Amino acid sequence: MTPAIIVHGGAWRIPPEEHEGHQAGCYRAARAGYEILAAGGSAQAAVEAAVTILEDDPTFDAGIGSHLNQAGVVQLDAGMMDGATLQVGAVAAIERIQNPIQVARRLLDSPHNMFAGPGATEWAIRAGFTPVDPATFIVPREQQRYEYHLRAGPPDLTGDFNRPSDTVGAVAMDRSGNLVAGTSTGGTLFKPAGRVGDSPLPGCGYYADNQSAAVSATGHGEAIIRVQLAHTAALLAASLAGEAPAQGLWLAPAEAAIRILGERVNGRGGLIMIDPAGRVGFAHNTPHLARAYMIEGMAEPVVGI
Ligand code: ASP
């Protein structure tokens, strides 16, 4: 099979002055992931590398640069799924671990699927991850947003694409045709402590099955969970496969899933996907979706917003 990767870095009305940073981060992540795939590396390794770059980039709401919760703490969610084995690894409301996507990948090979809260941090430490100072995650932009909402109160995120939504994710297919999806987030703006959205939940914020598709989603988690967005997109890819082009971009299943998000639960967001033939898709019902993809034959990633 020919390798392919697509990454995203948020879906909302991204202000013009932030376009360059979002696109540059997505470009770097897609390129690094593709290089792993081109050298014969696994889709798991490519997704981990791409999401790690996005977690370390303060532009995005994942790892460094994440939103603070109402207690002034960064709690992170991430998940990864392997389309060959249907194994899932995920962490929810984890603290002090710089790259939750790496813990999610490590969990793929464990007897468990998901750890939450202090137990997730403890599991990561036992697995060899070094905890960092909680201040590592906090950038001035997010400190200011936190202080604003302390005064103004929690934002209403329902159906609103004007609020920042910079969750990250990656989906890849390797040379053996294996599909993997991963998603990582700091959650929603000024979320209550302990709140968990779609991002660490398989079938919601991500999904991978070599028989249908691999998908990573972003947007209002409370709405995404209700329509099982990533799983819905994968099922649509399987049922529409007869109408797909031979190769390249295929947007129809992504667009159909995003229509369901908007029509059934007034949800806002976006998703990226790759089907078992290596066709790449994306869709969003927000003004922007920061993204980049690279497939065989391309000299560099195609970025979009
Ligand atoms: N989906 C994430 C959540 O609800 C937020 C986002 O994508 O911006 O936690």
Side-chain angles (χ1 to χ4, degrees), residues 165-167 185 187-188 195 197-199 218-221:
S165 173
D166 295 311
T167 292
T185 189
T188 46
R195 175 269 184 193
D198 59 303
S199 306
T218 176
H220 187 217

Side-chain angles (χ1 to χ4, degrees), residues 30-100:
R31 183 158 206 145
Y34 189 81
E35 278 167 10
I36 290 171
L37 299 169
S42 70
Q44 280 187 22
V47 167
E48 177 182 329
V51 174
T52 294
I53 286 172
L54 296 166
E55 286 176 336
D56 288 344
D57 185 332
T59 305
F60 302 102
D61 174 33
I64 295 166
S66 288
H67 297 318
L68 282 64
N69 69 15
Q70 290 179 16
V73 173
V74 168
Q75 289 185 328
L76 303 168
D77 306 325
M80 189 184 284
M81 185 163 176
D82 187 293
T85 58
L86 305 184
Q87 279 170 317
V88 168
V91 288
I94 193 172
E95 296 178 21
R96 295 189 297 132
I97 297 296
Q98 185 162 339
N99 296 108

Side-chain angles (χ1 to χ4, degrees), residues 59-232:
T59 305
F60 302 102
D61 174 33
I64 295 166
S66 288
H67 297 318
L68 282 64
N69 69 15
Q70 290 179 16
V73 173
V74 168
Q75 289 185 328
L76 303 168
D77 306 325
M80 189 184 284
M81 185 163 176
D82 187 293
T85 58
L86 305 184
Q87 279 170 317
V88 168
V91 288
I94 193 172
E95 296 178 21
R96 295 189 297 132
I97 297 296
Q98 185 162 339
N99 296 108
I101 196 68
Q102 296 178 8
V103 184
R105 184 183 178 198
R106 196 74 69 83
L107 272 161
L108 289 175
D109 302 320
S110 85
H112 304 289
N113 289 349
M114 187 182 300
F115 282 84
T121 307
E122 285 159 21
W123 189 90
I125 292 169
R126 281 200 302 279
F129 291 87
T130 306
V132 299
D133 182 337
T136 309
F137 299 107
I138 300 175
V139 301
R141 176 194 70 228
E142 295 305 324
Q143 184 68 34
Q144 283 160 15
R145 281 177 175 158
Y146 170 68
E147 284 165 16
Y148 171 79
H149 285 288
L150 271 183
R151 291 191 303 274
D156 178 7
L157 302 175
T158 316
D160 186 355
F161 50 65
N162 293 306
R163 307 286 180 183
S165 173
D166 295 311
T167 292
V168 307
V171 171
M173 172 182 264
D174 59 30
R175 287 205 186 280
S176 63
N178 196 37
L179 288 167
V180 171
T183 300
S184 182
T185 189
T188 46
L189 184 63
F190 205 64
K191 65 186 180 183
R195 175 269 184 193
V196 175
D198 59 303
S199 306
L201 303 181
C204 301
Y206 63 100
Y207 188 73
D209 181 349
N210 288 357
Q211 295 184 7
S212 54
V215 183
S216 171
T218 176
H220 187 217
E222 280 71 4
I224 289 172
I225 289 170
R226 288 156 67 198
V227 296
Q228 303 271 296
L229 184 63
H231 187 237
T232 296

